[in-house]
């Protein structure tokens, strides 16, 4: 038991190997298998649209880790174009 007044950062969160996450993974996997086996033709017809939607979502939300859009090329301007490291 800890005497710290601050709660533990892992308290209340499920660990990666917790039974809840494993159960959710099994349920999602079962749904995917059911859709692929029972509704294969519908899934195959929708596949091109799924790829287009996935690309759109990746382009809209996938660029969050670039650190913003300021300072493109600013590094070269500060050093000078002729400087080589």
């Amino acid at each position: 038991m800890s005497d710290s007044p601050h709660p533990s950062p892992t308290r209340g969160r499920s660990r990666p190997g917790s039974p809840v996450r494993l159960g959710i993974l099994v349920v999602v996997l079962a749904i995917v298998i059911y859709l692929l086996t029972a509704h294969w033709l519908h899934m195959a017809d929708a596949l091109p649209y799924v790829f287009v939607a996935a690309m759109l979502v990746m382009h809209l939300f996938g660029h969050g880790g670039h650190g913003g859009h300021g300072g493109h090329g600013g590094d070269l301007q500060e050093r000078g174009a002729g400087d080589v490291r």
Side-chain angles (χ1 to χ4, degrees):
M1 185 168 181
S2 175
D3 292 333
S4 173
H6 302 290
S8 171
T10 58
R11 184 179 294 168
R13 293 184 188 169
S14 58
R15 295 179 312 222
S18 71
V20 173
R21 285 195 182 192
L22 183 62
I24 291 172
L25 180 66
V26 168
V27 168
V28 169
L29 187 62
I31 290 171
V32 168
I33 290 172
Y34 169 73
L35 287 175
L36 287 176
T37 56
H39 299 281
W40 172 245
L41 293 176
H42 302 295
M43 297 291 288
D45 287 341
L47 203 55
Y49 302 109
V50 170
F51 283 133
V52 170
M55 284 187 265
L56 176 66
V57 168
M58 283 192 310
H59 280 92
L60 288 176
F61 300 110
H63 291 285
H66 289 298
H69 290 280
H72 290 291
D75 188 56
L76 291 175
Q77 292 172 354
E78 291 174 8
R79 286 195 321 236
D83 294 345
V84 178
R85 287 187 182 179

